DNA sequence: GAGGGAGAGCGAAGAATATTCCGTTGCCGA
DNA sequence: TCGGCAACGGAATATTCTTCGCTCTCCCTC
């Protein structure tokens, strides 16, 4: 059951909206906002976690304050020969901590990754010593992020 | 003081690492992991929040379970005439709830946005009725995400 | 070398919260 | 109408949060 949004009622949606915006809110305050008792609210949150609607909670850190001055979007084209090794290459790629996101995409290139490093030199080192040496990399195209205008994980949920 | 990672000690870094992975962990358990008392741990977390190292906490939701079957990366080139209107256009762009991320990037296009919608039809509607009508849009290039191989917000922090 | 102030930590205690348990209610379907 | 089920609320207990005061250490100054 991939898409089971229909099994969620308005209260569930409200809970998800609140937790998307403040994942560390206390259960009593959450229960206030959704007009339920704390036990009923907690049971719903546990169910949403259990059923996989909530995959986890994360503290959002300030990249620049932590010394990550460089963000890059790198498109990657793979050679399709020996395609049985592609899975291995992708495993190694997503295991790299600098790689925050990796997407298989349509278009001229095959994959798009988002890479966060401390500076341009670290990005160069990442590309030259870790990315390029991967077997089967045909070519890459790097876009440097000059400015982050928006960055959120909050999905656009239907109105409650 | 943009980059003040040097003012963080190993315990701070450990706290950030733990909270990145589990933003809803109790302060008692967090204090266990960092080998400090709960009050001392709480004081550090409050300081990290206060000084902006932690910008917030968020529940990570399962896009597909919530009916978002479509993810797209859209490159946007702007017309540079009447550049005083660019800020307004960007404001309107980032205000759209379907737009999860927006970056000013180097390369052939000027901006890259990440858009999450329920399906291809909703994406088409977004592009046709909300994106294209923005003034000053020169051209766009859309890449559909076929598969998400990695998606994390966990920065690669220095070893404690 | 002695005094003293700042910073950070700890333990205890009261307040707040989380969690469990159980009784009640409302809503089907037999 | 009568169970049976699902969901909720209230009460009670367990756990956690948060404050407070004390101690220790590290410097800095005298």
């Amino acid at each position: 059951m991939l898409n089971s949004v229909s099994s969620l009622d308005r209260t569930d949606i409200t809970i998800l909206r609140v937790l998307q915006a403040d994942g560390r809110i206390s259960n009593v305050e959450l229960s206030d906002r959704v007009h339920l008792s704390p036990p009923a609210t907690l049971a719903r949150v546990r169910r949403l976690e259990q059923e996989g609607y909530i995959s986890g909670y994360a503290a959002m850190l300030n990249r620049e304050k932590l010394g990550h001055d460089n963000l890059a979007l790198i498109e990657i084209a793979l050679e399709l020969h020996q395609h049985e090794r592609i899975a291995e290459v992708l495993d190694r790629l997503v295991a790299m901590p600098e790689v925050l996101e990796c997407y298989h995409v349509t278009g001229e290139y095959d994959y798009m990754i988002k890479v966060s490093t401390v500076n341009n030199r670290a990005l160069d080192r990442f590309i030259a010593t870790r990315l390029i040496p991967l077997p089967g990399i045909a070519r890459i195209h790097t876009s440097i992020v000059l400015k982050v205008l928006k960055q959120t994980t909050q999905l656009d949920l239907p109105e409650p």
Side-chain angles (χ1 to χ4, degrees), chain A:
Chain A
M1 194 192 299
L2 278 180
N3 175 353
S4 17
V5 66
S6 52
S7 74
L8 301 178
D9 63 15
R10 298 183 167 207
T11 303
D12 289 323
I13 299 291
T14 305
I15 288 174
L16 293 176
R17 294 172 77 94
V18 172
L19 287 178
Q20 272 200 125
D22 182 1
R24 225 176 149 77
I25 189 175
S26 77
N27 185 58
V28 285
E29 187 174 341
L30 178 60
S31 67
D32 274 351
R33 296 230 205 140
V34 301
H35 307 297
L36 273 183
S37 68
T41 307
L42 188 64
R44 279 173 182 263
V45 173
R46 291 285 178 268
R47 178 172 56 79
L48 292 169
E49 291 169 353
Q50 210 70 35
E51 296 178 353
Y53 293 97
I54 298 172
S55 55
Y57 302 89
M60 313 305 290
L61 304 190
N62 185 322
R63 283 183 51 258
E64 294 183 355
K65 290 214 61 151
L66 290 164
H68 280 233
D69 282 340
N70 191 285
L71 190 64
L73 303 171
I74 306 178
E75 295 169 292
I76 302 172
L78 295 184
E79 292 163 358
L80 291 182
H81 328 304
Q82 31 170 234
H83 60 277
E84 69 278 1
R85 297 197 61 188
I86 289 184
E88 178 210 329
V89 169
L90 293 176
D91 282 346
R92 290 171 58 185
L93 188 61
V94 302
M96 300 178 182
E98 300 94 335
V99 176
L100 300 185
E101 302 174 23
C102 179
Y103 303 107
H104 184 199
V105 294
T106 63
E108 191 185 349
Y109 291 83
D110 301 315
Y111 294 89
M112 158 79 81
I113 64 176
K114 185 160 92 180
V115 176
S116 181
T117 54
V118 292
N119 52 32
N120 285 0
R121 191 152 46 94
L123 175 64
D124 174 66
R125 200 178 328 126
F126 168 81
I127 293 174
T129 72
R130 317 238 285 127
L131 186 56
I132 298 289
L134 287 176
I137 302 283
R139 69 187 190 286
I140 71 170
H141 178 254
T142 304
S143 295
I144 302 290
V145 172
L146 301 173
K147 185 177 182 184
V148 177
L149 290 94
K150 182 178 189 179
Q151 187 160 38
T152 183
T153 58
Q154 295 188 39
L155 296 182
D156 182 29
L157 299 181
E159 282 302 319

